[in-house]
Amino acid sequence: MHHASPVGKPRSVLRSTFRSSLPGRLGGALLAAALLLLPAPAPGQQPAAAPSGLTAHDVARLRLVTTAVVSPDGGQVAYLLDVPRDLETQEDGAAWSELHLVDADGRSRPFVTGEVDVSDPAWLPDGSALSFLAKRGEDETTALYRIAADGGEAVRLLGHGDGIDEYAWSPDGRWLAFLAEPAESEEAKALGEKGFQQIVVDEEWRPVELWLSEVTGEGAGEPRKVALAGSASELSWSPAGDRLAVAVAPTSLIDDHYMLRRIHVVDPAGGEVTGRIDNPGKLGAVRWSPDGARLALVAGATANDPAAARLMTAPATGGVPSELLAGFEGDAVDVAWLDAETLLWIAAEGVERTVRRQRLGGGPETVVAAGAIWGSLSVAAGGPDGTATVALVAETPAHPGEVFVWRGAGEPPARLTDSNPWLAERRLAPQEVVRYRARDGLELEGLLMRPLGVDEGQRAPLVLIVHGGPEAHVANGWLTVYSRPGQVLAAKGYAVFYPNYRGSTGRGLEFALRSQADPAGPEFDDLIDGVDHLIAAGVADGERVGVTGGSYGGYATAWCSTRYSERFAAGVMFVGISDKVSKLGTSDIPNELYLVHARHWPWEDWQRMLERSPISYLEQARTPLLILGGDADPRVHPSQSLVLFRYLKLLGSTPVRYVVYPGEKHGNRKAAARLDYTLRALRWFDHYLAGPGGAPPPHELDYGLDAAAD
């Protein structure tokens, strides 16, 4: 239930864009320590003000690189930069996504910036220009644009249907393949304007279709549809330009997109399917080998594998892919080809990541060590000196996502961007890996932020931040976002712990399967064991422990606030689960919930589902609980929050508050809703872990915005 993508068709945002980052020349721990060292004032001078910790408003203005694409000659990197709205000067909404270019010396140029939402940047094969998707000017839907590599005004190339989802240039640049959903019919629009806006659930889907258009100096020609039996995504040309690989799901419903996509190799001339790759589970990255003979995949090993995280290859003629590293106690994150026999891939191993090189039939060789959370591989194989240039997006405990470039030769990747230079003025809490044993002996790990301003040996209030999924994990990078404000809590004197409980990714298939068919069993006992470990280590005050999380982490929060209520003094639940009986039947991913979570249907054991529901333990709840979520959430229906709130309020045995965000789905996208969430969560913990407790604090907030007083 970590999925935060929108309901309906699988837009290009559903692709595995890495929204995170990496460190500067100092390692994350060294940089965090360096920020704590202040120069002594000269005689007669006033001492410099100590740097302050991170605040909620700092989190609200963080910029992060989300995508990086290296030019064909390796000389430049195009990247997307998420820029949050400034609520004092701009209308509320989701972050803008800008297009920038940076060269090998770190000189960055803004290309398409301001109030824009750019996606899917790509270099034309000859490197002369960039293309991207955006809705600009008079566009009613997302269209394709091109801008020269040396700058100038972007030119609209193509718009189609209900907007272009994704696209790919043929290797010679003459053909453009793209995916788009058909536009709504004029008749349907007219009826909608008359008030006929009913929705027939699961039946009114439109397939995402594959189209081809020839590109000349005058622009893109009239598109031609390539017929497919289903809904398309994950599009790429073969190196020779004679075939297209495209993932096809039976429908465009999100459940099918997650669970049933299979790769089809298509002859673009006649539309014939020349090969089908029967990946057995979820599908991630798909990459052609340079000779066109194979495809590399990041995919699930079985239908029950909770994540697309196994490294595989398959012949382009089709068949069942072969797993390259069966039994690897880690995950593959992304993959690229260096040559026809050599792969470059990112490996997640617990809370760390490395970049590895691997010959087919051989073993992996680590070429970039841990020290940052590497992601978003983009490779230019033919640099001026014949070496490959690799662009990465990476993060560290010291900063969110930034652009890095690696050129091999034993050198570490070089950081090219600094999107938040003001972070150097903030004092960041130390972050460390914690390993502990669960009550059954299983070794677990997580990440601890030490509280600022608390002497060593002094116990601090603890906030447990539980990740969603559970097919996700917390990596040793930048951990602070609006709904998980770790550094802000640490700056206020809290210890903050992010546990990777059993069922988390990053430790191989066996570990990821450990929580299946047993919701809220040992997986959530792992959370209690982590708290006990920190109490025994003298870090945490056992009387002042809070818990928070979203989605499956929200389920954990509700469970800890009811079943384990005696252990927690405050809870903040976000888009969480309270009733397993109704959860599957009100979600848009029922098959995924069955295959990689519950492993049985509710009607096969109603009582077990009820026993694993927080609502079964309401009468023993004494944990003050703040519940938050959007009213348009398709993944975890808002009724999961409402029923928990209503029952706790009727019982009256513990403080409870429910905050609803209109129009938000499975996670808040708009700036105002994000800031409101952070401020409310912080105040709830301050009130119940460090403050007077008792009745809830006032529901009104001071947002600290000058414009609010105008």
Side-chain angles (χ1 to χ4, degrees):
M1 261 85 61
H2 62 295
H3 317 290
S5 45
V7 67
K9 60 189 174 183
R11 289 287 193 189
S12 59
V13 294
L14 292 175
R15 298 167 68 188
S16 55
T17 308
F18 189 84
R19 306 182 75 83
S20 294
S21 11
L22 155 75
R25 306 194 176 202
L26 291 173
L30 290 176
L31 182 54
L35 291 172
L36 301 179
L37 300 177
L38 298 175
Q45 287 186 339
Q46 292 294 324
S52 61
L54 217 62
T55 69
H57 288 85
D58 286 337
V59 175
R61 67 183 177 122
L62 280 169
R63 300 179 174 206
L64 68 153
V65 174
T66 62
T67 303
V69 185
V70 67
S71 61
D73 66 359
Q76 299 185 88
V77 178
Y79 66 95
L80 296 184
L81 181 69
D82 265 15
V83 180
R85 308 278 183 119
D86 182 347
L87 291 174
E88 293 188 341
T89 61
Q90 295 178 319
E91 184 178 341
D92 184 32
W96 304 112
S97 182
E98 299 182 342
L99 177 64
H100 294 249
L101 237 64
V102 63
D103 65 19
D105 294 322
R107 292 185 293 263
S108 188
R109 292 182 290 157
F111 255 49
V112 182
T113 62
E115 298 184 356
V116 295
D117 191 12
V118 176
S119 63
D120 215 5
W123 290 90
L124 270 65
D126 63 2
S128 64
L130 280 160
S131 55
F132 61 90
L133 297 176
K135 188 162 65 173
R136 312 180 74 207
E138 298 181 358
D139 290 338
E140 294 185 0
T141 60
T142 302
L144 178 66
Y145 285 82
R146 177 174 60 194
I147 185 170
D150 56 1
E153 181 54 42
V155 176
R156 189 178 188 272
L157 282 180
L158 184 69
H160 192 86
D162 196 32
I164 297 175
D165 279 10
E166 56 181 286
Y167 65 95
W169 293 98
S170 65
D172 60 7
R174 287 188 53 223
W175 289 91
L176 184 69
F178 66 91
L179 304 178
E181 184 180 284
E184 186 180 26
S185 70
E186 293 301 319
E187 180 183 10
K189 288 180 182 178
L191 287 171
E193 291 171 358
K194 291 181 180 294
F196 294 98
Q197 298 178 6
Q198 68 288 331
I199 298 172
V200 183
V201 176
D202 285 358
E203 294 186 41
E204 293 190 312
W205 60 274
R206 287 172 281 167
V208 177
E209 299 172 330
L210 171 60
W211 294 81
L212 281 174
S213 178
E214 188 171 12
V215 181
T216 64
E218 289 72 42
E222 186 67 25
R224 169 175 60 87
K225 186 167 84 168
V226 178
L228 295 172
S231 188
S233 61
E234 203 65 41
L235 175 67
S236 60
W237 286 90
S238 67
D242 58 346
R243 288 161 294 169
L244 282 163
V246 59
V248 181
T251 75
S252 60
L253 297 174
I254 201 71
D255 208 14
D256 284 353
H257 180 85
Y258 283 153
M259 302 306 302
L260 298 177
R261 291 189 301 154
R262 302 294 180 263
I263 292 293
H264 290 58
V265 178
V266 180
D267 175 1
E272 177 188 0
V273 175
T274 61
R276 172 185 159 120
I277 297 174
D278 292 316
N279 49 291
K282 292 182 176 180
L283 181 65
V286 180
R287 308 284 186 256
W288 283 94
S289 62
D291 61 1
R294 302 179 183 88
L295 289 159
L297 316 175
V298 177
T302 72
N304 304 119
D305 193 338
R310 317 301 151 211
L311 186 61
M312 302 179 175
T313 61
T317 52
V320 177
S322 301
E323 190 172 355
L324 294 183
L325 296 167
F328 172 56
E329 294 185 356
D331 292 347
V333 176
D334 201 357
V335 63
W337 292 88
L338 291 177
D339 58 46
E341 297 293 326
T342 311
L343 292 167
L344 191 72
W345 60 287
I346 297 173
E349 296 179 85
V351 298
E352 306 295 349
R353 287 190 185 178
T354 59
V355 180
R356 298 184 171 195
R357 180 169 52 209
Q358 181 163 352
R359 296 279 294 177
L360 296 182
E365 170 197 3
T366 298
V367 293
V368 178
I373 303 306
W374 313 104
S376 188
L377 275 177
S378 175
V379 177
D385 57 357
T387 61
T389 300
V390 181
L392 299 144
V393 176
E395 65 184 49
T396 69
H399 64 78
E402 299 288 2
V403 178
F404 284 72
V405 163
W406 178 65
R407 300 183 188 277
E411 295 294 324
R415 178 177 170 181
L416 298 185
T417 60
D418 184 5
S419 304
N420 302 283
W422 55 269
L423 270 177
E425 303 169 4
R426 295 293 182 268
R427 185 183 180 202
L428 298 180
Q431 184 170 302
E432 64 190 66
V433 180
V434 171
R435 293 183 174 87
Y436 64 99
R437 290 200 177 274
R439 62 194 66 180
D440 62 359
L442 181 66
E443 184 174 83
L444 302 167
E445 62 184 4
L447 291 161
L448 173 67
M449 287 181 186
R450 295 273 182 173
L452 295 177
V454 176
D455 294 335
E456 187 175 352
Q458 180 183 351
R459 295 182 183 273
L462 171 70
V463 175
L464 193 69
I465 298 183
V466 187
H467 70 70
E471 60 271 24
H473 71 278
V474 182
N476 194 15
W478 182 260
L479 300 181
T480 299
V481 296
Y482 80 96
S483 60
R484 301 184 297 278
Q487 283 289 347
V488 185
L489 286 163
K492 295 164 76 67
Y494 296 92
V496 185
F497 186 52
Y498 298 75
N500 283 328
Y501 51 98
R502 70 189 69 201
S504 300
T505 53
R507 291 183 58 181
L509 180 57
E510 181 182 351
F511 189 86
L513 295 175
R514 283 182 176 270
S515 68
Q516 291 187 5
D518 196 12
E523 61 178 358
F524 290 168
D525 293 343
D526 292 345
L527 307 179
I528 306 302
D529 295 341
V531 171
D532 286 341
H533 175 82
L534 295 175
I535 293 172
V539 173
D541 179 349
E543 299 299 316
R544 295 186 294 162
V545 179
V547 59
T548 187
S551 195
Y552 210 84
Y555 176 33
T557 301
W559 185 258
C560 290
S561 299
T562 55
R563 170 65 178 80
Y564 277 117
S565 185
E566 76 281 0
R567 300 300 308 272
F568 293 91
V572 177
M573 170 181 133
F574 189 34
V575 294
I577 303 160
S578 66
D579 178 10
K580 296 289 286 185
V581 172
S582 62
K583 166 65 178 76
L584 186 144
T586 55
S587 176
D588 62 350
I589 51 169
N591 284 301
E592 194 212 31
L593 293 175
Y594 166 70
L595 286 168
V596 305
H597 291 255
R599 300 289 290 271
H600 68 270
W601 299 107
W603 49 86
E604 294 174 342
D605 196 341
W606 293 109
Q607 186 59 34
R608 180 176 175 80
M609 286 287 198
L610 187 60
E611 290 171 354
R612 300 307 174 95
S613 298
I615 59 169
S616 294
Y617 306 94
L618 292 169
E619 292 176 276
Q620 67 191 50
R622 297 295 183 271
T623 302
L625 184 61
L626 175 62
I627 304 170
L628 311 99
D631 69 354
D633 188 349
R635 204 76 10 97
V636 177
H637 195 272
S639 60
Q640 294 287 316
S641 293
L642 180 59
V643 70
L644 182 59
F645 163 73
R646 189 65 70 199
Y647 287 166
L648 285 173
K649 186 176 180 182
L650 289 170
L651 282 167
S653 56
T654 191
V656 62
R657 174 171 290 159
Y658 180 26
V659 180
V660 180
Y661 296 105
E664 296 288 4
K665 296 183 179 179
H666 198 54
N668 293 349
R669 296 182 68 247
K670 294 183 177 179
R674 288 187 167 196
L675 180 59
D676 181 275
Y677 182 100
T678 307
L679 292 172
R680 288 189 188 279
L682 292 170
R683 188 170 65 172
W684 196 263
F685 286 131
D686 284 347
H687 188 74
Y688 287 108
L689 298 185
H699 68 268
E700 299 90 355
L701 284 176
D702 177 1
Y703 294 106
L705 302 176
D706 292 340
D710 294 341

